């Protein structure tokens, strides 16, 4: 039986849909002293991008996601690299959502199949919202905890799509491959974000 999204997650999806993706520049992020929570440090351990990528679980995927940043002659902060990886994950999630939409529109299969694809569509939307909120958090030098919560929520959205098919015996997910890449991207984002404190 498919579970429904909690009201708060549905609310977040609606709010985040209103937001647009913006380019984040490290120079527009400032450290504000006096906060009672950990904030994102935009200059924490400025390092060459490839050295930071090597600290992730999927370094080659990290490096391929940040091609323009890798070519910079200067060192980059974990916040720069986290933002670039989040943007790459947003692009891949949009592609996954498009694929799911095409599958549901072109498939004349069972209601369960379409219901599972709908679960994926809802969770891709929630994932996009969480990723966009993550970029806003970095841009505003927000709470590191909020950043980690949003990125964890993005990863959960991806795995929930897979779970819908796993819980349906004999039905393979047509989105398994794209979700595998999305999961790796999201895990890299979490690892890079962890370096921003």
């Amino acid at each position: 039986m498919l579970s429904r999204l909690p009201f708060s997650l549905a609310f977040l999806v609606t709010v985040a849909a209103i937001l647009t993706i913006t380019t984040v520049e490290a120079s527009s992020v400032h450290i504000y002293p006096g906060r009672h929570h950990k904030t994102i440090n935009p200059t924490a351990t400025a390092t060459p991008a490839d050295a930071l990528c090597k600290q992730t679980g999927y370094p080659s995927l990290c490096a391929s996601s940040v091609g323009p940043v890798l070519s910079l002659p200067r060192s980059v902060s974990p916040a720069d690299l986290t933002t670039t990886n989040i943007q790459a994950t947003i692009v891949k999630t949009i592609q996954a959502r498009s694929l799911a939409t095409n599958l549901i529109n072109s498939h004349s299969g069972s209601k369960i199949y379409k219901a599972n694809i709908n679960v994926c569509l809802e969770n891709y939307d929630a994932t996009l919202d969480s990723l966009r909120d993550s970029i806003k958090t970095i841009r505003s030098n927000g709470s590191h905890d909020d950043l980690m919560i949003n990125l964890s929520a993005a990863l959960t959205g991806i795995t929930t799509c897979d779970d819908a098919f796993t819980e349906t015996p004999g039905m393979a997910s047509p989105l398994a491959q794209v979700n595998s890449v999305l999961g790796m991207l999201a895990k890299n984002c979490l690892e890079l974000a962890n370096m921003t404190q």
Side-chain angles (χ1 to χ4, degrees):
M1 184 172 178
L2 297 173
S3 61
R4 295 177 50 138
L5 288 174
F7 173 77
S8 59
L9 185 56
F11 177 75
L12 286 175
V13 169
T14 305
V15 171
I18 298 170
L19 303 175
T20 59
I21 301 172
T22 58
T23 303
V24 178
E25 295 180 29
S27 61
S28 68
V29 181
H30 304 285
I31 299 171
Y32 298 100
R35 292 205 175 160
H36 298 289
H37 59 281
K38 292 181 183 175
T39 57
I40 297 164
N41 180 354
T43 59
T45 60
T47 311
D50 59 342
L52 290 171
C53 280
K54 287 178 184 174
Q55 297 178 49
T56 67
Y58 307 96
S60 60
L61 185 59
C62 174
S64 69
S65 299
V66 297
V69 175
L70 284 174
S71 65
L72 294 175
R74 64 178 178 84
S75 294
V76 296
S77 72
D80 291 335
L81 208 55
T82 302
T83 299
T84 306
N85 268 269
I86 292 170
Q87 289 170 333
T89 308
I90 287 171
V91 168
K92 193 67 172 176
T93 305
I94 291 169
Q95 291 171 351
R97 193 186 189 298
S98 177
L99 174 60
T101 300
N102 289 339
L103 287 169
I104 204 164
N105 290 337
S106 66
H107 196 275
S108 59
S110 71
K111 288 182 180 181
I112 294 173
Y113 177 88
K114 288 187 176 187
N116 287 349
I117 297 292
N118 275 323
V119 167
C120 292
L121 285 170
E122 290 170 3
N123 281 283
Y124 290 147
D125 287 341
T127 296
L128 286 167
D129 291 341
S130 296
L131 293 169
R132 289 174 178 143
D133 286 346
S134 297
I135 288 178
K136 279 182 54 182
T137 301
I138 293 171
R139 183 177 184 202
S140 67
N141 192 37
S143 162
H144 183 262
D145 290 343
D146 289 347
L147 175 62
M148 298 304 283
I149 288 167
N150 283 322
L151 290 173
S152 295
L155 180 58
T156 299
I158 296 161
T159 58
T160 302
C161 172
D162 284 335
D163 291 346
F165 284 94
T166 302
E167 294 169 3
T168 307
M171 188 174 289
S173 173
L175 300 164
Q177 186 174 6
V178 71
N179 285 343
S180 175
V181 174
L182 278 173
M184 291 185 283
L185 283 165
K187 289 173 186 172
N188 276 356
C189 289
L190 276 164
E191 291 168 341
L192 290 166
N194 201 40
M195 299 176 208
T196 65
Q197 42 180 344

